[in-house]
Amino acid sequence: MNDWSLLIFTIAIQAAIGSIWMLWMFQFKHKKKTDQEIFQLFKVPLIVIAALSIIGLGASFSHLGTPSNAFNTIRNIGSSWMSREILVTGMFIGIVVVACAWALYRQRISPWLLFGAGLIGLVDVYCMAAIYTNSLVGPWNSIYTFMSFYGTTFILGSVLAGALLTPVLYKQKKDLEAKQFLNIAFIIMLSGVALQVIGVALFPTSMQEINMIGETVETAILASYKGMIASRWIISIVGIALFGYLTISTFKKLYTRLMILTLLLFVMSEGLSRYVFYLLGS
Amino acid sequence: MTQVGFFIDVTKCIGCKTCVISCKDKNDLEVGRNFRRVYSFETGEFPNPRLAHLSISCNHCDKPKCMENCPTTAIYKRKEDGVVLIDHDKCVGCKYCEWNCPYEAPQYSEELGRMTKCDTCIDLRENGEEPVCVTSCPMRAIEFGPIDELRKKHGTNSDIWGLPSSTITKPNLVIKK
Ligand code: SF4
Ligand code: SF4
């Protein structure tokens, strides 16, 4: 496995994209809140999301053998999904950083910047997946790749935004708002998991054609990663249970810690899932 | 443009890998980086099992998927003879071409941080010589030249069991099986 940089890159950017949407949704739902209130709530989340995007960018650079040639990578927009993805990812990260800087400078949030980043982000997830589905690597060549990538975006986006926003809301004694947001996050997380489950069901287990010389049949590879795939789902289920518990419980004492634990569980399960994804291709 | 290509005679190849070694030597390739590789396939069933050896490098395809997907346009098809080359001033070392060549032709150089591959021994050919894999093969199982001529001489087949379909990239390759 030598694709750690790509694993970190895809996971970080997808989490950032999902959580930008969650922030946008929160401010949309709470239009009555003053600019100052929203700013106070979003300040830390925006900094975290911008940092995450920059970590993703750094990881993607570390994948390149000659990063000094990075500007060349957008020369082939016409036919290369890699080119398109790099351009769109660059735009996403750019807007997120601008949104963060703008917020800190003006002490208010621009919903339009969030919305723009979110939209470009969704296109970006498509481009990221298309890189793999358009390659000749058999196991990547399926609808599963799209569903898995969008699934991760929903899952990590909602859990990350939940972990960033709800503890603050509770501290401000806005229990109802926290609960409402947590419920939405929970539903979005579940839909992300559903996407991935359907994706797995649609995953072609027997490969009809060999596209690359020296390629092994994927059922055989999948079988050898059984343990890893099983633990990924077990961790997901524990995460879902814990998140579900947090949405219904009134127990506040350890709330922040449990929310962070939930986030870590999902980072682990998504990380494992992506790890297997890259193993399948190597 | 006269497109060039390779002819591989699987019926002659004994799998000795002299072509692999002479290519490594000529291009100064470290362990693990091979512009030419020999794949061995077992086919048939008892009582007629068969072991076939197939020597493969870059096939300088008519539809090079490596080139189509390279984000930097570093991969290009040379006008005069259709040889597919990598411009190291442009290559960013993203390795995406590795995922897009059916024949494992692009070989990454850690040292250069860039992708490298068979260039049909351009320097030797400029001096009127043949690629080193061709001249080194003790069985004379590899030929190189204008693909039209090779096809006239040996037919047009470029598929064999174990090799990805030639429809993917339209390789300039003729295989006798
Ligand atoms: S053999 Fe592979 S590297 Fe060579 S031109 Fe065809 S697709 Fe490109
Ligand atoms: S490694 Fe170089 S030649 Fe290959 S796709 Fe990337 S930029 Fe193009």
Side-chain angles (χ1 to χ4, degrees), chain B residues 84-135:
Chain B
V84 173
L85 297 169
I86 301 179
D87 179 348
H88 279 183
D89 287 340
K90 285 188 184 169
C91 174
V92 73
C94 67
K95 306 177 200 140
Y96 193 33
C97 44
E98 262 180 14
W99 300 346
N100 281 291
C101 168
Y103 309 102
E104 294 183 339
Q107 299 269 314
Y108 185 69
S109 162
E110 290 288 346
E111 194 195 324
L112 297 173
R114 292 169 172 90
M115 200 52 79
T116 56
K117 65 189 261 314
C118 158
D119 67 354
T120 69
C121 293
I122 278 188
D123 48 347
L124 295 182
R125 287 173 52 219
E126 271 164 9
N127 295 330
E129 292 175 55
E130 295 226 74
V132 74
C133 52
V134 175
T135 43

Side-chain angles (χ1 to χ4, degrees), chain A residues 2-3 6 63-77 79-83 86 130-132 134-137 140 209-215 278 281, chain B residues 37 39 41 54 56 65 67-73 88-96 98-104 108 112-114 161-165 167-169:
Chain A
N2 46 19
D3 291 319
L6 293 179
H63 169 72
L64 301 176
T66 310
S68 55
N69 275 349
F71 276 113
N72 288 335
T73 53
I74 49 171
R75 279 171 178 256
N76 205 7
I77 304 285
S79 75
S80 167
W81 277 104
M82 175 81 85
S83 255
I86 289 166
I131 288 183
Y132 298 94
N134 278 284
S135 78
L136 292 176
V137 181
W140 292 342
E209 259 178 277
I210 298 176
N211 288 330
M212 286 173 98
I213 197 164
E215 196 166 58
Y278 282 113
Chain B
R37 298 153 311 282
Y39 298 87
F41 301 110
L54 181 63
I56 284 284
K65 219 175 127 63
M67 177 169 112
E68 177 191 321
N69 285 290
C70 168
T72 62
T73 65
H88 279 183
D89 287 340
K90 285 188 184 169
C91 174
V92 73
C94 67
K95 306 177 200 140
Y96 193 33
E98 262 180 14
W99 300 346
N100 281 291
C101 168
Y103 309 102
E104 294 183 339
Y108 185 69
L112 297 173
R114 292 169 172 90
W161 191 88
L163 194 68
S165 163
T167 56
I168 305 174
T169 61

Side-chain angles (χ1 to χ4, degrees), chain B residues 36-55:
Chain B
R36 182 169 281 284
R37 298 153 311 282
V38 173
Y39 298 87
S40 297
F41 301 110
E42 288 169 40
T43 55
E45 266 176 43
F46 180 83
N48 295 312
R50 224 189 126 190
L51 182 61
H53 307 288
L54 181 63
S55 172

